[in-house]
Amino acid sequence: MKTNRLGIISIKLQNQPFDHSSTKLLKEIIDKHPDKEACLFSSCVDMIIPNTVPVLHLLHAKFFVGDVIITDMVSALLCKTFPALQNIFFYAQNIPWLGQENTKHKQWSDLFGLPNINIIAKNQSIYDIFSICYKQPIGISENMTYEEISRII
């Protein structure tokens, strides 16, 4: 893993399998790289976190200097306004513009065209779609595990 400071931004942590995967990933990063700083940013934690990980309110992410992993479009739009973020890794679990008929292509292209945003696709189909529409993802991670993510970032 190349980054020294890593945050995971999840607007709302609920008792969902993907949220548990995020906290497990962060815990493994902390355990395997004690010299690196890592934390979770969220505005609402509606679950019991089984792993001991540092959690800060989402407002603190604005002043975070380092790299972040984001998993939803609201986080992506927020991160676009955070000046201190070095790299934004958008974990694309699905195609975010499906069902968003009122959003113009330019808005998506402005977001995914940012030089510091990197896309990590959940599967090959999403990888191919992002490659055609915006920019080539930096890798594929089916389950967002430590092994997959550390190989990519």
Side-chain angles (χ1 to χ4, degrees):
M1 186 168 289
K2 300 170 196 126
T3 184
N4 284 329
R5 301 184 86 197
L6 181 69
I8 296 177
I9 296 178
S10 183
I11 301 292
K12 186 173 184 179
L13 285 173
Q14 297 177 317
N15 199 18
Q16 301 295 323
F18 185 75
D19 294 332
H20 287 286
S21 297
S22 297
T23 60
K24 183 179 178 189
L25 168 65
L26 192 62
K27 177 66 173 158
E28 287 187 60
I29 290 170
I30 291 168
D31 289 346
K32 294 182 181 180
H33 301 281
D35 58 321
K36 299 184 188 298
E37 298 174 15
C39 68
L40 180 67
F41 298 100
S42 182
S43 63
C44 177
V45 179
D46 194 19
M47 67 181 260
I48 296 173
I49 301 175
N51 307 304
T52 305
V53 296
V55 179
L56 294 174
H57 192 274
L58 183 61
L59 295 174
H60 295 283
K62 183 172 187 171
F63 307 105
F64 183 71
V65 177
D67 300 334
V68 293
I69 296 173
I70 58 175
T71 59
D72 58 59
M73 287 309 301
V74 175
S75 299
L77 293 170
L78 277 174
C79 287
K80 186 177 173 183
T81 65
F82 295 172
L85 296 180
Q86 295 165 344
N87 290 301
I88 301 168
F89 299 101
F90 178 73
Y91 183 70
Q93 303 174 68
N94 53 31
I95 307 302
W97 55 88
L98 290 179
Q100 302 289 330
E101 292 83 14
N102 296 330
T103 307
K104 296 180 180 173
H105 175 74
K106 180 165 178 15
Q107 291 173 302
W108 296 112
S109 106
D110 287 349
L111 178 64
F112 292 120
L114 291 172
N116 67 335
I117 195 161
N118 300 290
I119 301 160
I120 301 170
K122 181 173 176 61
N123 57 42
Q124 188 65 46
S125 298
I126 293 172
Y127 183 97
D128 294 341
I129 290 169
F130 270 94
S131 295
I132 292 167
C133 296
Y134 299 106
K135 67 165 105 172
Q136 184 170 347
I138 59 171
I140 296 173
S141 173
E142 291 186 11
N143 300 310
M144 204 165 104
T145 62
Y146 171 78
E147 291 76 20
E148 292 171 343
I149 295 298
S150 63
R151 181 177 35 85
I152 297 170
I153 64 171

